[in-house]
Amino acid sequence: MGYDIHITRRQEWYDDDGPEILLVEWLAYVEADSEMRLDGYAEAKLPSGSVLHTVDPSLAVWIAHPNHGKSDGMAWIWHSRGNIQSKNPDDKMLQKMWRISRALGAKVQGDECELYDRNGAVIREVDAAVTVRSSN
């Protein structure tokens, strides 16, 4: 498991309706950003020693992340259901996601609908509406 952070144009990232970030927009952004590289796949070594390999044409990596390439550290980010997302991003990745969100006319929102600012800090906590949605 993990905790996903989303770049979204929707009211809430999980909404079925609302403005999407199109795959073509994401790919154009990655191509234009010299700090990003489109890989189309990701690999991670598991504790068992085996390698998890996933293929997704939208998978990109932030090559300017301070820990890029150290201890298998990769700052992966991809397009999913009209949003851009990253799993378990650190503060530096949250800051990069905020910059990406500005370029795409979107916001940075966590799984529990909290919003993040330019410093990677939460600016809106989870509210009662999210709690109601989670209990249904």
Side-chain angles (χ1 to χ4, degrees):
M1 292 286 286
Y3 196 80
D4 291 341
I5 302 293
H6 314 266
I7 298 172
T8 187
R9 291 180 179 147
R10 296 176 178 143
Q11 181 67 31
E12 305 296 353
W13 68 268
Y14 55 79
D15 288 341
D16 290 329
D17 297 324
E20 294 187 357
I21 299 170
L22 301 175
L23 176 59
V24 67
E25 290 178 277
W26 170 239
L27 296 176
Y29 174 85
V30 172
E31 185 174 324
D33 186 337
S34 64
E35 294 185 343
M36 301 291 294
R37 182 182 72 215
L38 183 66
D39 284 355
Y41 74 95
E43 290 184 343
K45 191 172 184 178
L46 301 174
S48 66
S50 61
V51 175
L52 173 67
H53 180 87
T54 185
V55 175
D56 180 331
S58 74
L59 256 163
V61 63
W62 179 33
I63 59 174
H65 187 283
N67 294 328
H68 177 71
K70 299 177 186 172
S71 301
D72 295 325
M74 298 290 262
W76 297 108
I77 187 168
W78 61 94
H79 182 272
S80 177
R81 295 184 58 239
N83 298 313
I84 308 303
Q85 67 186 57
S86 182
K87 186 170 291 299
N88 302 323
D90 62 11
D91 289 343
K92 296 293 184 192
M93 186 63 169
L94 286 168
Q95 293 167 15
K96 176 64 174 178
M97 291 178 79
W98 186 88
R99 293 190 299 273
I100 294 169
S101 76
R102 298 298 97 180
L104 296 175
K107 62 187 174 197
V108 179
Q109 188 175 60
D111 273 349
E112 296 180 353
C113 299
E114 74 281 9
L115 297 177
Y116 291 84
D117 69 9
R118 71 182 316 125
N119 299 311
V122 174
I123 56 173
R124 185 189 87 189
E125 295 292 334
V126 178
D127 58 24
V130 175
T131 304
V132 170
R133 179 187 77 79
S134 298
S135 64
N136 290 338

